[in-house]
Amino acid sequence: MQKRAFVLIFICLLLAGCGKRPDETPHRRTVFAMDTVMNLTVYGENGDKALDAAEQDLRRLDALLARGAETSAVHTLNQYGFAEDEETAALLEKAGEISAATGGAFDATLGKVLDLWGFGSGAGDYRVPPDAELDAALAAVGMERVFVDGEEIRLAAFTEVDLGGIVKGYACERMFDRMKENGVVTAVFDLGGDVALWGGKSDGPWRVAIKDPADEGAFLGILETDGGRFIMTSGVYERYFEENGARYHHILDPKTGRPADSDLVSATVVCQNGIWADALATACCVVGADGALALRERLADTMPFDLILITDDARALYTCEGFAPETNNGYAYEKVA
Amino acid sequence: MATPMKKSPERTPTKYDALVAAAVLLLAVALGARYWFAPAQDAALTAVVSIDGVEVERLAFDDTEREYQNNGYTVHVTVTPDGVRVDHADCPTQDCVHTGTISRAGQSIVCLPARVAITLAGAADAGYDVIAG
């Protein structure tokens, strides 16, 4: 009798174990911050706690780094030419490093120029600025005009920084920290189309649909990738205005102060570093397809990344191994080594 | 000399064996039921409208129109069986209008000035986890 009871309990425990799957309940949150809407999805039992921590961090970073927020370190820096903040200082040092690596195609001192076009803190008040105004603002552009010493930051006269080109990538990295602290195994963050994948999934690799810049309802293809990746896109279609029949987009060339006139419609960067992914997406749009591929080759040893580039003559160049292009959508796909 | 065979234990099922079998069967049925009767994922696409990050409405893909006011701006949304679009809005950026029609799971239209977001949700297996770009 005792033996049978033992067998019964054993079978029950075994079956109970079979029935128990890892907790994959999705916990979702929508956050408006950093001039975008963010959809955060965290799986598992600590989901809500991790989301609380992530949202708190997003709010903190928004308050610290937004140009428009009067309390922010960046606002203080732009207004007085001096600010003290360890995190902002570290970010600006990183921005300088990326600027140097991209030959100035990425620049975090375009604040005044962005404002002139209406793409800056007064977003929406679009206009084509007169050349004289643009030239004056352009004279104050350049990462060599930012001086960082420990947590102290100084700007040369008339220079204004704008961290919009790296802040989302940085925020994603901080959210990864929050996931790690809370023991989260799987999470995905969508920051207005910029995506960060944390951890793995139980049913295979992440499958990321890459949006077609020419058609909101279509995809360029599906990218299969592991977690720990940042997939950041810049495109001339994202924010723009039209005046006298011409279209002016928000990706400005730091050398001219005008919308980048390259052959790229969009550049998607896949990288294991959020800040770099964010900045490189912009830089690639500035330097064009050949420049972007050359940049990838140049950084292969220090900051490896993959690309999906869409040109203005409907070519789709990609370097990702796990990318499956859509067919019959009018693009000429080309896998680049 | 051959060892005498040990007498085999009783082979006739007893009520305890029946109890074990019944328990196993019951558990199997219970575990199966968890999956059979689990709430099915909604296969139909739904437009989830949120304002200031809070969900306010879910719209089926029928012919309908809605107007949302927030943060001093008005966003006019049209839903058809083919998709969802913002027809017009009085926001300064017009990014929501430029987005055009969305029709696939995970796609969204966002009006940042009005802080209105419309996201398509509900397709059981869209074939992807997230949309980038």
Side-chain angles (χ1 to χ4, degrees), chain A residues 1 4 8 11-12 15 19 21 32 35-37 193 195 201 206-211 216-217 219 233 239-240, chain B residues 14 16-17 23-24 27 31 34-35 53 92 95 98-99 102 104 107 110 112 115 127-133:
Chain A
M1 170 60 196
R4 285 191 178 103
L8 179 62
I11 290 172
C12 287
L15 285 171
R21 295 179 300 178
F32 278 90
D35 279 341
T36 195
V37 64
V195 167
K201 287 166 57 207
W206 287 98
R207 290 174 57 81
V208 183
I210 308 294
K211 205 188 279 181
E216 185 66 31
F219 300 138
T233 300
R239 284 169 72 186
Y240 63 87
Chain B
T14 68
Y16 297 114
D17 292 316
V24 170
L27 274 165
L31 284 170
R34 273 178 57 182
Y35 295 97
D95 292 340
H98 291 157
T99 302
I102 57 170
R104 297 169 82 159
Q107 288 184 309
V110 179
L112 276 175
R115 298 169 73 88
Y128 50 86
D129 302 300
V130 63
I131 300 173

Side-chain angles (χ1 to χ4, degrees), chain A residues 7 23 56 67 111 114 140-141 178 181 183 194 315:
Chain A
V7 169
D23 181 6
Q56 199 177 4
R67 286 178 68 206
L114 285 163
V141 169
R178 303 292 86 80
E181 285 164 10
D194 287 329
R315 286 181 302 140

